[in-house]
Amino acid sequence: MKILLAKDRATNLNLKLSADILNYLCRANNFIEFDQPVEVGVPSAYIDLNVERTELENLIAPNEVGHVFYCTSRRYENNYFFYSNYATTILSFHGWKHCTNLPLENGLFYFIAVIQASIIDDSFRHDDTTGCIYDYLWDKTAVDVGMKTGQFCKDCLTRVEKTVKESPSLSNILDDVMSILKILSTSSKWGNSVFEYEKQPTRSSDWASFEDDVAQIYRELGARVQQNVNLAGFQTDILIEENTPSKQNLRSAVECKFSKNKVGNRIVNDFARIANTLKEAHLVDKGIIVSQSGFTSDAYLVSKETHINLLDFKDLKQAITKATSDLASEEKAHNTRLQSAGTLLKTEESTKKMREQKAPHLFAIIPFSSEMDDVYYLGIHDTAKALGCSCDRVDQIEFVGPILDKIYDSIKNSRIILAELSTPNVNVYYELGYAHALGKPTILITKDISTSPFDVKGYNHIIYSSIRDLRSKLKARLEAILT
Ligand SMILES: [Zn+2]
């Protein structure tokens, strides 16, 4: 089938290059680009699906085209990403930069894969964010996880493979989806455009041997090690199992990052999300990232909040050399070696950053109500101030221009984001989602954990019964993050 890619003027997307790469990857479909921007509908209004479909078909769809894929920067009234009847798809990139830092072309590839996957099987959607191609994306920022994970979960893959067995004509489409997802997730994980796929560190000998080196160190530390394990649909670089002194079995998922750049907070946040899912499923107890080139100081801050251990490969290697040389007793050495690898993190880097950031700024996302005023002023603001931090919420900031932009700027420019989730509030969730998408350290507080939506339940909440209780717990948490 021929798939025609088109866009409006305001959408900054290279369709020619997209079509070239898609044709290189895909067998079932042939992609062509429409050579000029197409304007349909009323620019200032919401997308009017029925009217615009007809306009599109009249304007650009010659008979031989099977599917028109139209990208617009305007939005649907319900804020959906797209509607498709498999002949015309209108994809909205409205607010894209608030969902992810990845470029639009990654989104185009993702949604082409999503629609192809729906052609194979449209019987099921995950309501939660799992990273599976069949995620419903209720929370639009989940598209970021989807692009980086780029896969079918285990259950969906089983179902889809069964469908393909029954209708072999679909197998080409499945192959195409797999090819698209492979380059999409590899690029997206590194924060790159799918256009730069060639430049990625592929699973070359360097990368593979880095993972092997890390695995070997853990083996030498006495852990049981498996490489490239599929856990609940997530490809895990290394799974280690070790016995604690109390003879408990401790399982850790280890993510290896081989790059010349330091690992940043986004990678930590993304991995924390996966690690949390695996912890909830009782498949692992801990998440660890080992980096070839260290971590940014923001990554260290996020790691404290998300309970992910960050290990610099150099430190990991040194830890084992040092521990081996003064090996006292086998068991003792084993345990201290693993511990010292963990404690080496409290290196100068985070303390140096702390010194630079004398007055860390907190931004509170909190619903407006008189009850919340007390929570904010007495519980949050005063506690932050007592620790030498500055703190505000949106009504305290004087500003000109749209309020939403100001909120986004405040989230972007603050060190720590604090969100009050006791009462379900769409704006609070949306702003929190934005903070998570940016990889900001967040502190979630609530009176009742059961009101938190599934997506954020995995994060560690402060649950408080009174303002006094909140003050003492928040103080402890802030001290843990800031020192
Ligand atoms: Zn799935």
Side-chain angles (χ1 to χ4, degrees):
M1 190 196 276
K2 269 193 186 164
I3 299 184
L4 182 68
L5 305 177
K7 66 176 195 83
D8 63 12
R9 197 164 286 113
T11 305
N12 184 15
L13 197 52
N14 185 338
L15 294 181
K16 168 93 178 67
L17 191 50
S18 302
D20 284 350
I21 297 176
L22 287 164
N23 285 330
Y24 172 75
L25 295 170
C26 298
R27 297 287 164 269
N29 294 298
N30 183 23
F31 294 84
I32 42 176
E33 84 284 359
F34 197 72
D35 55 4
Q36 53 190 342
V38 183
E39 303 299 330
V40 292
V42 186
S44 57
Y46 293 121
I47 299 168
D48 187 333
L49 196 61
N50 293 329
V51 173
E52 290 173 34
R53 254 186 202 147
T54 317
E55 280 184 44
L56 273 171
E57 280 155 20
N58 289 338
L59 273 170
I60 59 172
N63 296 331
E64 66 268 27
V65 171
H67 190 158
V68 175
F69 210 100
Y70 180 66
C71 306
T72 172
S73 49
R74 291 156 53 234
R75 62 172 285 193
Y76 285 104
E77 205 161 1
N78 57 14
N79 208 21
Y80 278 18
F81 277 119
F82 70 87
Y83 276 96
S84 180
N85 60 2
Y86 303 122
T88 312
T89 299
I90 301 183
L91 170 61
S92 163
F93 279 108
H94 180 87
W96 182 253
K97 69 175 171 34
H98 298 310
C99 302
T100 174
N101 284 345
L102 291 165
L104 263 57
E105 55 268 22
N106 292 36
L108 174 66
F109 278 45
Y110 177 73
F111 288 110
I112 286 175
V114 166
I115 285 168
Q116 302 292 317
S118 309
I119 291 173
I120 305 170
D121 180 304
D122 201 19
S123 63
F124 173 81
R125 285 283 180 279
H126 295 276
D127 283 346
D128 308 321
T129 300
T130 68
C132 174
I133 185 98
Y134 288 112
D135 279 3
Y136 191 86
L137 309 185
W138 289 100
D139 171 356
K140 289 183 86 172
T141 60
V143 72
D144 188 68
V145 182
M147 290 186 289
K148 288 172 180 163
T149 314
Q151 63 185 13
F152 293 82
C153 74
K154 212 169 135 204
D155 291 349
C156 290
L157 189 60
T158 312
R159 195 180 65 248
V160 163
E161 282 174 340
K162 195 163 157 257
T163 311
V164 168
K165 220 175 229 167
E166 286 158 10
S167 327
S169 60
L170 295 172
S171 79
N172 269 350
I173 299 185
L174 181 59
D175 289 347
D176 287 1
V177 174
M178 294 292 195
S179 307
I180 294 173
L181 289 180
K182 186 164 172 255
I183 90 152
L184 176 64
S185 60
T186 312
S187 318
S188 302
K189 265 184 209 157
W190 294 93
N192 289 339
S193 158
V194 286
F195 296 161
E196 292 171 86
Y197 179 66
E198 303 284 304
K199 293 186 207 154
Q200 324 289 335
T202 49
R203 286 197 66 93
S204 67
S205 54
D206 279 353
W207 189 347
S209 72
F210 177 62
E211 278 185 27
D212 290 344
D213 289 350
V214 174
Q216 185 54 31
I217 290 179
Y218 278 109
R219 272 188 206 102
E220 286 174 26
L221 289 166
R224 289 180 295 286
V225 176
Q226 294 174 66
Q227 286 178 253
N228 294 315
V229 190
N230 189 314
L231 293 176
F234 294 105
Q235 196 65 30
T236 306
D237 290 344
I238 302 176
L239 177 68
I240 57 172
E241 288 180 66
E242 48 187 305
N243 290 325
T244 63
S246 54
K247 300 288 175 216
Q248 274 174 331
N249 189 29
L250 185 72
R251 295 154 305 167
S252 309
V254 182
E255 173 93 347
C256 299
K257 289 291 174 199
F258 180 78
S259 160
K260 61 179 189 320
N261 300 323
K262 287 184 176 181
V263 168
N265 50 359
R266 290 180 65 87
I267 287 179
V268 180
N269 244 333
D270 289 341
F271 180 64
R273 202 161 182 151
I274 294 173
N276 268 328
T277 309
L278 298 179
K279 277 191 228 170
E280 273 178 9
H282 303 292
L283 292 168
V284 303
D285 309 293
K286 209 166 75 172
I288 300 172
I289 301 177
V290 180
S291 164
Q292 155 83 5
S293 312
F295 300 87
T296 66
S297 22
D298 277 352
Y300 282 113
L301 277 177
V302 173
S303 75
K304 281 194 169 181
E305 172 69 9
T306 53
H307 307 287
I308 294 294
N309 287 23
L310 304 185
L311 294 180
D312 195 314
F313 184 61
K314 286 195 296 285
D315 295 340
L316 188 64
K317 272 205 301 204
Q318 270 172 14
I320 187 172
T321 323
K322 188 173 173 296
T324 317
S325 65
D326 51 34
L327 185 107
S329 83
E330 186 49 49
E331 173 140 24
K332 188 171 162 237
H334 168 197
N335 293 321
T336 45
R337 268 177 276 164
L338 283 174
Q339 270 167 15
S340 60
T343 44
L344 276 168
L345 308 174
K346 289 174 185 157
T347 47
E348 298 130 85
E349 187 153 24
S350 51
T351 32
K352 197 176 107 210
K353 189 80 191 173
M354 270 309 301
R355 248 177 270 129
E356 286 165 11
Q357 299 276 337
K358 277 227 170 71
H361 187 72
L362 258 76
F363 183 68
I365 304 172
I366 183 165
F368 296 108
S369 72
S370 51
E371 189 204 351
M372 284 301 153
D373 276 354
D374 281 354
V375 172
Y376 172 67
Y377 287 107
L378 306 173
I380 300 167
H381 185 267
D382 290 359
T383 310
K385 225 175 130 190
L387 291 172
C389 304
S390 58
C391 175
D392 57 18
R393 69 196 273 199
V394 74
D395 67 342
Q396 281 191 321
I397 313 170
E398 288 188 24
F399 54 84
V400 283
I403 185 163
L404 280 178
D405 285 351
K406 188 62 215 173
I407 293 176
Y408 294 137
D409 279 351
S410 301
I411 292 174
K412 236 183 248 173
N413 298 327
S414 299
R415 198 97 197 93
I416 299 170
I417 309 302
L418 194 143
E420 215 296 339
L421 302 173
S422 299
T423 38
N425 180 300
V426 175
N427 294 328
V428 170
Y429 293 149
Y430 192 83
E431 288 153 22
L432 176 63
Y434 183 68
H436 280 157
L438 290 178
K440 286 282 170 182
T442 53
I443 298 179
L444 311 185
I445 65 170
T446 182
K447 283 184 187 157
D448 178 6
I449 186 73
S450 67
T451 59
S452 281
F454 176 87
D455 260 15
V456 300
K457 265 196 188 127
Y459 292 88
N460 189 1
H461 287 61
I462 291 179
I463 303 163
Y464 66 96
S465 53
S466 65
I467 289 182
R468 212 168 79 175
D469 185 34
L470 171 63
R471 287 174 68 108
S472 83
K473 287 176 177 166
L474 180 60
K475 179 168 175 280
R477 179 69 66 86
L478 284 171
E479 280 173 343
I481 295 179
L482 295 172
T483 49

